[in-house]
Amino acid sequence: MSAEAIPTTSRELRLVSRPADRLTQENFELVEVPTPTPGDGEVLVRNEWMFLGSVYRDLMNEETALPIPNYEIGKTPWCTTVGTVVVSHNEELPVGTFVLHYEGWREWAVVSPGFGVKKLDRSLLPGAEYYLANGPTAWRGIVEMAGAGEGDIVFVSGATGAVGTLAGQIAKARGAKLVIGSTGSKEKVDFLLNEAGFDAAFDYHDGPVLDQLRALAPDGITVCFDNVGGDQFEAAVEHAQPGARFALCGALSGQIGGTDGDHPRLALMRAIAKQLTFRGFATFDTEEQLAAWNQQFSTWLKEDKISFAHTVVKGGVPFAAEAFIGLLDKKYAGTVVLQLND
Ligand SMILES: NC(=O)c1ccc[n+]([C@@H]2O[C@H](COP(=O)([O-])OP(=O)(O)OC[C@H]3O[C@@H](n4cnc5c(N)ncnc54)[C@H](OP(=O)(O)O)[C@@H]3O)[C@@H](O)[C@H]2O)c1
């Protein structure tokens, strides 16, 4: 891109106050700033897509239990973003390099190697937004924590989220016998069955989770990939076969809306008697993990073993706050990606 094509000003969104409970547009400010200029060793990236996930709501709180930095007031928050280097003062990242980085919620970003920037092979996947798939997290839970594969009966809670849609499909691609997902509406049940490759799905509003699991998997489950916690976790423990493995990924029912879903009751004697395994995990994607996942994702997409179930949101940075509030209101399904420069 020629220097003339780089605008002198560009837009970004700042977090100006911490949400009391419900996040509103007033917690953000849209600002027009001089497009940043890269210094020595830095590069200028034209951002293309950013990822939207519930986890960012946690980061808006004063304190968080997450092992990643929370957001500072008055600043543009970080988030997972992809874009292309258009000005380079660093030979490791020449002009044209496609990168994943964390300077999102803005149209243009200055980044430097060593601050979480990862080079990507743009030819591998069908579109730039595919590189925002939460595959490394889903893979880690399904494969490395739960060891799910041939013959398993897998329950994924929070299945229509960015991680859940992939966790179920990875289990399926590895030979799981039955993959069941939970979600919050009839439309999303259909989405899981028709677009995300699940064998069965239920709406957790339709009755006790335990009853729904019993109906769909009469023999019990052998793997649980838990994104939700609360009563979904409790039901999964109750309905687990002896030796079942739990990958503990998230606690959505405690993260959004201030419920105590991240403090489920563990039926301890059941867990002991059934010799259940619980493994919590936190994924910090390295360039190698990301490259390995993208390679696997590419292969499975070509073999039709997986789909990228996602929602594209347009409107760019001016629409980012509304889009994120929409995500918290459970409007979207699959990985939610916001286009930043179209
Ligand atoms: N361990 C790690 O390394 C790691 C990495 C990334 C993310 N995570 C965690 O994994 C979890 C899933 O993340 P994600 O990005 O996939 O989520 P996401 O895409 O933001 O999921 C959004 C969906 O979650 C569901 N949800 C929201 N509140 C819920 C509640 N109280 N009970 C049940 N479902 C609820 C809603 O769907 P419905 O309409 O179906 O309710 C909503 O549409 C989060 O807890 C996140 O923090 C962990």
Side-chain angles (χ1 to χ4, degrees), residues 51-55 66 134 137 158 160-164 182-185 188 204 227-228 232 248-253 255-256 281-283 327 330-332 334:
F51 168 73
L52 288 175
S54 307
V55 66
L66 295 170
N134 275 227
T137 301
T160 47
V163 181
S182 67
T183 186
S185 69
K188 288 190 181 180
Y204 54 78
N227 287 305
V228 172
Q232 303 215 23
L248 306 181
C249 179
L252 280 166
S253 66
Q255 286 169 270
I256 309 171
F281 66 99
T283 317
L327 174 112
K330 307 180 181 181
K331 268 193 195 164
Y332 307 124

Side-chain angles (χ1 to χ4, degrees), residues 190-225:
D190 292 343
F191 175 85
L192 286 176
L193 299 178
N194 302 329
E195 292 183 48
F198 280 62
D199 299 306
F202 65 88
D203 178 348
Y204 54 78
H205 298 103
D206 283 351
V209 175
L210 182 56
D211 291 353
Q212 306 211 56
L213 280 179
R214 280 185 178 136
L216 293 172
D219 296 337
I221 59 169
T222 60
V223 166
C224 173
F225 187 105

Side-chain angles (χ1 to χ4, degrees), residues 255-269:
Q255 286 169 270
I256 309 171
T259 67
D260 61 356
D262 59 346
H263 302 288
R265 282 172 60 90
L266 174 62
L268 198 51
M269 279 317 294

Side-chain angles (χ1 to χ4, degrees), residues 51-121:
F51 168 73
L52 288 175
S54 307
V55 66
Y56 298 152
R57 174 63 187 83
D58 259 359
L59 301 179
M60 292 173 184
N61 293 334
E62 183 74 44
E63 287 180 13
T64 166
L66 295 170
I68 42 180
N70 67 342
Y71 293 161
E72 289 179 52
I73 296 304
K75 297 213 170 143
T76 298
W78 66 269
C79 79
T80 313
T81 308
V82 289
T84 303
V85 173
V86 292
V87 176
S88 175
H89 297 161
N90 192 303
E91 57 190 28
E92 281 178 46
L93 297 174
V95 169
T97 310
F98 181 51
V99 289
L100 179 143
H101 65 86
Y102 298 99
E103 300 293 327
W105 304 90
R106 68 191 91 208
E107 292 167 326
W108 295 78
V110 163
V111 299
S112 44
F115 288 88
V117 185
K118 287 144 192 148
K119 287 194 248 184
L120 300 167
D121 175 359

Side-chain angles (χ1 to χ4, degrees), residues 306-326:
I306 205 165
S307 70
F308 183 40
H310 66 291
T311 299
V312 164
V313 184
K314 301 225 176 202
V317 170
F319 191 64
E322 194 173 330
F324 186 58
I325 291 166

